[in-house]
Amino acid sequence: MQKVVVVGAGLVGSLQAILLAKKGFEVEVYERRPDLRKVELKGGRSINLALSTRGWKALKLAGVEKQIEEITIPMYGRRMHDENGNLSFQPYGKDDQAIYSVSRGDLNKRLLLEATEYDNVSFFFDQKCNDLNLETNTLEFEDKEGNIKKVKADRIFGTDGAFSAVRTRLMKTDRFNYSQQYLTHGYKELLLPANEDGTHKLDKNALHIWPRGKFMLIALPNEDGSYTCTLFFPYDGEYSFNSLQSKDQVEGFFKKTFPDFYDIMPNLADEYFENPTSSLVIIRCEPWNYEDKVLLMGDSSHAIVPFYGQGMNAGFEDCSVFSEMYDELGSDWHKLFDEFSKQRKPDGDAIAQLALDNYIEMRDLVGDEMFLLRKKIENKIYEKHPDKWMPLYSQVTFSHIRYSEAYETGQKQKRIMDKVMDRDDIKEKWDSDEVENEILEALNDAG
Amino acid sequence: MQKVVVVGAGLVGSLQAILLAKKGFEVEVYERRPDLRKVELKGGRSINLALSTRGWKALKLAGVEKQIEEITIPMYGRRMHDENGNLSFQPYGKDDQAIYSVSRGDLNKRLLLEATEYDNVSFFFDQKCNDLNLETNTLEFEDKEGNIKKVKADRIFGTDGAFSAVRTRLMKTDRFNYSQQYLTHGYKELLLPANEDGTHKLDKNALHIWPRGKFMLIALPNEDGSYTCTLFFPYDGEYSFNSLQSKDQVEGFFKKTFPDFYDIMPNLADEYFENPTSSLVIIRCEPWNYEDKVLLMGDSSHAIVPFYGQGMNAGFEDCSVFSEMYDELGSDWHKLFDEFSKQRKPDGDAIAQLALDNYIEMRDLVGDEMFLLRKKIENKIYEKHPDKWMPLYSQVTFSHIRYSEAYETGQKQKRIMDKVMDRDDIKEKWDSDEVENEILEALNDAG
C-alpha cells in the first residue's frame, strides 16, 4: 500500500485527502496551524469565498456536496451600488445559476470532519514543514515544542498554499521556473454586522459591489446575517491606504464614496484601523511536480487574485482532474504527475490572467453603460444560440470547459464584440437581426 | 563608523568591498566558498567573461584598472565559422574598440588581493549565510565545522549571486516581487588546449562563433593559449543535449556541424561527457533594497543570460553607480538605497531583455547576409553621423548610456532599419544618399 503525505490541511489539502482516502491510500496530512476541528472560529475576521460549478464537481466526487450545501448562500448576481446609493442588478447566468458564498473557516472545518470519517486518513497539526529531502522523499516536521519528526512518503502532495514550504524546496531544483508578483493594490476586510433580529442589512442573495474605477468595495453574505466586506484599494496615490491616515479621513472618504454603505456600517473607522491591510499576490511556477515524488496543487502552484472567485474552485478542480487522471492512467506515477503538470499549467496561467482582467471589469466596467449593453447583447446571443456563444463569465463559472480554452474563446468573443460595439448605431440597433447576423458571421469567420 | 557587511566575495562583492573601503567604512566580507587567494585554480573548467567599458569604469574607480589589464586579452570582433569552415569577421566597434577576455577565477583572485591591501577590509571564508534577521539586521553564518557566528551590521550588501541567500530572505517580505526563469537551452564548456608551443589554435584577438540557427558554439581566448569554448544547445529536440547520448553521436554531430572545430579539438567526446551541462537562468526582483538595511547588487538582483557579455559589466556598473550616488546623496541610507533600486531596476530589466534578444542574433543572424548588410548600413550612418546614430551594440558595450535608454533607442533604430531593409532595391542602393536621407528623416520624425 502506497503511503501518501498531504502537506497542508487547508481547503485543497482536506479535499485531496478525502479523494485519496476513497482510492484506498494510507493518507497522512500535516498542517502547520492548529486543528481547526477543535478551535472555535474567531468572529470578526471571516474570509468569504464563492463556490461555483468547478468546486461543486470536486465536492460531489468526494461525496460531501450535501454537507457543504448547508453552509452556503446562493448569490444570483451582482448588486451594484453607485455613488448616490442607487442599486442595479446583473444576473450571473441563466435562471437559477448562482455562485455560493461560504466562510473559508466553516468550509475547511467541514472538510476536515468529513476526512476524519476515513480510517485510512491521519491528521497531524501544529507541524511546520522544515525540510524536504528529494533524494529519499522524506519530510521533516517540527512541532511547537521543537520536536522533529521525519516522514518518508511514496508520494507527496504539496497543498500548503501560496507560501508553500514544499514549493520552496522545489524552487532550488534546476530549471524550476517561479514567480511571485504583487499587485500595487491591497485589501482590507470590514465586517458589516447583521440587524438586531439577525437578518441581513443588504439583499442576501447577491454579491454586492461598489465599483469606483480605480478601486472597489464588495460584500458577501454570511449565514449569521453579517456581511464580509472587502475594500480593494491602491497602496499609494490620491485615494489609497497611504492617504487615509486618520479616522476623520476614513469617515469622510467612505461617506462621500460609499454613502449607502457608510449609513449602515457601525464603527467604521475603528474597524478600518484595527483590521490589517493585506497584499495580493500571483504565484506561478513550472513544473508542478518533481519526478514521481511530489505534486503541487492549489495555491502552492497557482495562487491568483480573488477577482473571478476562482482561486478555491481552481484548487478543487485540481483535485477532480487529478482523481480522473489517476483513474485513467493508473499508478504510473511519473507519467501521472508529469501529465497533470503539463495539462493543468496552462489552465492555471489562464485563470490567473482572467482573474487579473476581471479586477478591471469589477471595479470599473460594471458601472459603465456601454459595458452593460455589451453584456445584454452577449446574453441575447447566448439565449438564442447557446451552442455557439457562451459568455466568458459563464464558461469560467458555470462550466467545466478548460480555463485555457475559455480564455481563448473569450479573446475571440472580445474581438467580435469590440467591433460590434464600435458601430455608431449600436445603441439603437443592438437588438436587431442585423447585429445578430454580424456576430454570427464573425463567429463563422473566426472558425 | 558604520559597519558594513558584504555577503559574497565574488566579482561584484570584492569590487564593492574595495569601493566601500575607499570611502572609509569598516568592511567585513563573508563568503560561502574557500579563499580563492589560497587555492590553486583548477584547470580544465575555466569560465571566461568579456570585460567592456562599463566594467572598466568601475575598476578604474577602484584603482585596479592596470592590475586587471595584465590578465585580459582584447577581442576586436566576432570571427564567424560557417558550416564549411569558412571564416568571416565583424568588428565590434570602431578602430581599437574591444571587449576583453578574462578568466573569472583570475579576475576574482586579483580583486580579492587588491581588497586585502585595505586595513579596513576583513574577509571570512567558508561562511554559509543561514539566516538574516531583518529586525536587528543580524546575519547568521555557519562554517564547515558547524560553528555559528552572528554578525550585526549597519548596512548589508547582498552580492551573493543568482542563488543569493540574502535575496531569499527578502523574498519572504511582503510585496517583494521575484522571478526565476530558465531557458529551454543549456550550455556545456569544452577546453580547446593550446598548441604544443603555447600559441593559440585560433585567431587570438577575436570572439569565435559557430552560429547554427537554433544553437551555437563560441570560444574565448585564455592567456595560456587555450580557449574556453561553450556549446549553447537546447535540452530537447532533434539536436539537443538529450539527443546526443553516445560518444559516436557526439563525434558525428561535431564533425558535421562544426568541422573546423572538430579538426583541432582533441578528446572531444570524453570532454563532452565529463563536463557538466549547466542551465541558464534569468533572475528578476523588486525592490533591490530592504529599507535602509539591505541592498542587493549584481546577479542577486539581476542575473541575466550571457549572450551580451554584460552580466559582470552590469554588476560592476552597480558598484560605480552606487559609489557616485553615495557621493551625491551622502549617508541618508534609506533614500540612497531606495533611489538606487528605483534607478537601476529598469536598467537591469533592459539588459536582461537585450541579452535574451542577443542570443538570437548570435546563434542565427550573424551568419545572415541581410543582417550583415543591415550592420554595414548602420555602421556607415554611425561613421558619418556619430551624434545621431550609435549602433545598439556600441551603446551597450562601449558607452555608459543607461541600459534602459539604450534599449529604447535600439527599438527605435530597429523600426527604422526594418523599413529600410524592406526596400526591394536595398542591396543595390544601400550605400546611396537616398537611403541615408531616408534614415536621417525617419530619425527626425521619431524625435
Side-chain angles (χ1 to χ4, degrees), chain B residues 350-386:
Chain B
I351 191 58
Q353 190 56 48
L354 287 165
L356 204 50
D357 296 347
N358 216 43
Y359 187 23
I360 295 166
E361 178 167 329
M362 281 182 86
R363 75 187 195 212
D364 197 359
L365 299 179
V366 291
D368 180 84
E369 185 197 357
M370 292 308 280
F371 175 80
L372 297 178
L373 180 59
R374 177 191 282 244
K375 291 280 161 185
K376 216 149 87 178
I377 299 171
E378 279 200 67
N379 283 334
K380 179 193 154 186
I381 303 293
Y382 182 30
E383 283 289 341
K384 292 186 73 171
H385 310 278

Side-chain angles (χ1 to χ4, degrees), chain A residues 176-226:
Chain A
F176 187 84
N177 291 320
Y178 172 75
S179 82
Q180 60 186 46
Q181 174 201 349
Y182 284 87
L183 266 59
T184 54
H185 289 216
Y187 70 93
K188 189 183 282 287
E189 290 184 353
L190 303 167
L191 191 76
L192 174 66
N195 289 315
E196 286 197 7
D197 62 0
T199 57
H200 288 81
K201 288 195 178 186
L202 298 166
D203 167 13
K204 173 183 169 182
N205 292 115
L207 190 154
H208 294 261
I209 311 182
W210 290 258
R212 294 296 180 267
K214 300 210 161 151
F215 51 86
M216 68 176 177
L217 178 70
I218 68 168
L220 276 79
N222 295 318
E223 283 190 290
D224 66 359
S226 67

Side-chain angles (χ1 to χ4, degrees), chain A residues 170-185 235-236 277-279, chain B residues 170-185 235-236 277-279:
Chain A
L170 297 196
M171 276 181 61
K172 293 178 194 156
T173 60
D174 196 27
R175 299 177 69 200
F176 187 84
N177 291 320
Y178 172 75
S179 82
Q180 60 186 46
Q181 174 201 349
Y182 284 87
L183 266 59
T184 54
H185 289 216
Y235 279 98
D236 299 299
T277 302
S278 305
S279 55
Chain B
L170 297 196
M171 275 182 60
K172 293 178 195 156
T173 61
D174 197 25
R175 300 176 67 201
F176 187 84
N177 291 321
Y178 172 75
S179 82
Q180 60 185 46
Q181 175 200 347
Y182 283 87
L183 266 58
T184 53
H185 288 216
Y235 278 99
D236 299 299
T277 302
S278 304
S279 55

Side-chain angles (χ1 to χ4, degrees), chain A residues 129-344:
Chain A
C129 178
N130 274 347
D131 200 11
L132 163 54
N133 181 329
L134 291 170
E135 290 285 314
T136 60
N137 229 26
T138 303
L139 291 146
E140 186 182 296
F141 295 102
E142 183 180 345
D143 70 14
K144 283 184 152 180
E145 284 76 44
N147 302 309
I148 299 292
K149 179 176 176 178
K150 296 203 174 189
V151 182
K152 194 169 154 53
D154 293 304
R155 317 292 151 203
I156 295 169
F157 293 88
T159 56
D160 48 346
F163 302 100
S164 167
V166 175
R167 187 198 61 230
T168 298
R169 177 62 191 86
L170 297 196
M171 276 181 61
K172 293 178 194 156
T173 60
D174 196 27
R175 299 177 69 200
F176 187 84
N177 291 320
Y178 172 75
S179 82
Q180 60 186 46
Q181 174 201 349
Y182 284 87
L183 266 59
T184 54
H185 289 216
Y187 70 93
K188 189 183 282 287
E189 290 184 353
L190 303 167
L191 191 76
L192 174 66
N195 289 315
E196 286 197 7
D197 62 0
T199 57
H200 288 81
K201 288 195 178 186
L202 298 166
D203 167 13
K204 173 183 169 182
N205 292 115
L207 190 154
H208 294 261
I209 311 182
W210 290 258
R212 294 296 180 267
K214 300 210 161 151
F215 51 86
M216 68 176 177
L217 178 70
I218 68 168
L220 276 79
N222 295 318
E223 283 190 290
D224 66 359
S226 67
Y227 272 84
T228 301
C229 310
T230 311
L231 174 67
F232 293 98
F233 210 35
Y235 279 98
D236 299 299
E238 188 183 359
Y239 299 110
S240 66
F241 286 118
N242 279 346
S243 77
L244 300 185
Q245 293 291 348
S246 72
K247 289 192 176 182
D248 277 357
Q249 284 172 325
V250 169
E251 296 275 347
F253 171 74
F254 274 80
K255 190 171 182 176
K256 187 180 142 214
T257 315
F258 310 115
D260 61 331
F261 177 78
Y262 179 79
D263 287 344
I264 54 173
M265 175 73 195
N267 304 320
L268 170 66
D270 288 338
E271 181 103 357
Y272 183 93
F273 286 108
E274 274 164 24
N275 293 352
T277 302
S278 305
S279 55
L280 294 162
V281 68
I282 302 170
I283 303 275
R284 296 181 179 90
C285 67
E286 186 173 24
W288 290 3
N289 66 311
Y290 180 78
E291 299 174 356
D292 60 349
K293 295 173 172 171
V294 180
L295 186 65
L296 302 174
M297 298 172 96
D299 281 1
S300 68
S301 47
H302 53 93
I304 63 178
V305 289
F307 307 113
Y308 225 121
Q310 287 294 311
M312 167 183 62
N313 289 290
F316 282 0
E317 195 177 54
D318 283 351
C319 298
S320 64
V321 166
F322 178 81
S323 178
E324 289 169 355
M325 284 180 74
Y326 176 83
D327 292 344
E328 193 191 316
L329 293 175
S331 53
D332 179 346
W333 291 95
H334 207 140
K335 191 174 169 191
L336 181 61
F337 281 11
D338 277 353
E339 194 59 33
F340 182 85
S341 171
K342 211 168 131 187
Q343 190 190 122
R344 285 295 285 173

